Amino acid sequence: MEDLTRRRRLLILVICCFSLFIVGLDSTIVNLALPAIRAELDADVSKLQWTIDAYTLVLASLLMVSGSTADRIGRRRTFQAGLVVFGIGSLLCGFAPTVDLLIVFRMLQAVGGSMLNPVAMSIITNTFTDPRERAQAIGVWGGVVGLSLAVGPVVGGALVDTVGWRFIFWINVPVALAAVLLTALFVPESRAAVPRRIDPVGQVLVVLLLGGVTYGIIEGQSAGWMSPLIIGCFVLAMVSLVSLVRYERRREEPLLDPRFFRSAPFSGATLIAVAGFSALSGFLFLNSLYLQSVRGFSALHAGLLTLPMAAMTVVFAPLSGWLVGHRGPRLPLVVAGSMLTVSGLVLSRLSLDTPTLVLLAGYLVFGLGFGMLNAPITNAAVSGMPLSQAGVAAAIASTSRQVGASLGVAIAGTVLTARLVGPLETGFVDAAQLCWYIIAGCGLLVLILGLITTGPWARRTAAAVAEDLVRAR
């Protein structure tokens, strides 16, 4: 990549973050529209789960292959293609006449989104060659991802109440077009010196693994947990996992290098991402139904009630990045895990008439915890990795976030449906209590893993893996 001035580097960072913002926003903006979609398109809880998970599942499945494709054919070209596909998918989502077509168009959106996240990370990594500047840029990037996920409900609520739920998709179109133009003007083209080869077998196994698990969890309640279909889904997922590990071990350039997981910080970051984003997606899914279907708030009112959570994320995401850069990831992870746990416990006490102050307290604590979460995940994932492997490691961390987002909605919706007695409006509170405890458990897992995977022993495992990777090249 050509030598760039600091101003140009910062402009590239802004463009990448701007584009990533709409992708992250779309992961959560739909939550506040769920009751409106349910009413207009006659969707049940399972279809609502798929409206969210169709996007995150495809995104998770394609992130890594999109990154390696960009290394081969050009990062700017792939980034622009992703913006175009994402914009087209968004346009079609807004015109969807049925919930099934909406789910299909959400999948198309995700195909485009998968070309943005890891590719932007590669562009940032190759633009900021100074290690300190790169760490700060990654901190900003992680903060923007977290911010987009947190403010999604607020933006979604405002749009649903003012112009209708279809505009939560249409708003992406002009943003994507502007980002395509800015990328063409200011982002130089770059490729990997030695691009990674495409791994179609590994890619198919990843899709089968994630798809089997998610489908089994979402449809298990309606189809029957012991039905041949659901048992087959989980067997397929298990066979795919075993096959993936065995196949990737033998491949010279694997899609998912099993050696990465010998690094405690990397393994910890992967599990923390799954747990933390399961908590977030479960929280947003449940909270939208509670505020609108149970309490009767409008979408805008519900969005405004979650504004404190977004505000806390805005404040603490950059602080987390600063702490990671100066003191390492341990303190932010401990704070994140503790606050997510406390929030889950507070929200487990929700009733049909919980005071607004109690609600806001739970949201504030959750926002603080989530705000501290993103930067240390990315930092821990790439910690000690050779520069040539940093993009792949970051892509796996991003994949883990989306896997967590898929699982959070799948598990929350399934537990809610299984425990629901009577209509959603009256049975939600009792049915959802276990879901909130699960979210608290996710926070506790973040806390424990944050302590285990950030000490001297963990750093030694990361150094050993990095040395092994360098020696093997």
Side-chain angles (χ1 to χ4, degrees), residues 20 23 135 145 197 249 255 257 269 291 310 313 336 343 351 360 371 407:
L20 286 170
V23 177
V145 174
R197 284 181 288 185
R249 278 179 176 171
L255 176 72
D257 195 332
L291 291 178
T313 301
S343 177
S351 65
L360 294 179
L407 290 178

Side-chain angles (χ1 to χ4, degrees), residues 134-321:
R134 185 185 300 119
Q136 292 171 343
I138 289 174
V140 171
W141 178 83
V144 168
V145 174
L147 174 63
S148 67
L149 294 171
V151 303
V154 182
V155 177
L159 289 173
V160 169
D161 259 15
T162 54
V163 290
W165 67 265
R166 296 180 185 276
F167 279 84
I168 66 175
F169 300 110
W170 287 336
I171 195 176
N172 294 329
V173 178
V175 177
L177 289 174
V180 169
L181 178 61
L182 290 171
T183 302
L185 291 174
F186 299 108
V187 178
E189 184 61 282
S190 65
R191 296 176 177 82
V194 182
R196 295 165 55 81
R197 284 181 288 185
I198 304 298
D199 181 3
V201 175
Q203 182 61 57
V204 170
L205 290 173
V206 168
V207 171
L208 292 176
L209 168 60
L210 299 180
V213 170
T214 306
Y215 188 92
I217 293 174
I218 290 178
E219 300 296 337
Q221 179 65 25
S222 58
W225 292 106
M226 300 307 294
S227 68
L229 173 63
I230 301 305
I231 292 176
C233 283
F234 290 124
V235 170
L236 175 64
M238 183 60 66
V239 171
S240 299
L241 175 60
V242 173
S243 301
L244 179 66
V245 173
R246 295 184 64 180
Y247 176 77
E248 298 295 89
R249 278 179 176 171
R250 297 194 304 268
R251 187 172 168 83
E252 185 178 341
E253 291 185 3
L255 176 72
L256 182 64
D257 195 332
R259 291 176 298 178
F260 283 8
F261 293 93
R262 298 207 299 263
S263 165
F266 178 84
S267 295
T270 301
L271 293 175
I272 287 168
V274 172
F277 278 75
S278 291
L280 174 70
S281 62
F283 165 84
L284 294 173
F285 183 80
L286 295 169
N287 191 58
S288 172
L289 295 176
Y290 172 73
L291 291 178
Q292 294 181 76
S293 297
V294 178
R295 298 294 296 268
F297 293 121
S298 67
L300 178 58
H301 194 174
L304 290 175
L305 281 173
T306 63
L307 194 58
M309 185 194 89
M312 295 297 278
T313 301
V314 170
V315 172
F316 284 96
L319 175 61
S320 175

Side-chain angles (χ1 to χ4, degrees), residues 389-451:
Q389 300 292 329
V392 179
I396 295 173
S398 297
T399 299
S400 301
R401 289 183 176 95
Q402 300 305 327
V403 170
S406 296
L407 290 178
V409 172
I411 293 170
T414 298
V415 172
L416 177 68
T417 304
R419 291 168 52 86
L420 189 65
V421 177
L424 185 67
E425 289 73 13
T426 57
F428 176 90
V429 170
D430 290 335
Q433 188 174 50
L434 179 58
C435 300
W436 296 117
Y437 285 138
I438 292 172
I439 289 172
C442 288
L444 185 60
L445 184 59
V446 170
L447 171 61
I448 293 170
L449 289 171
L451 290 171

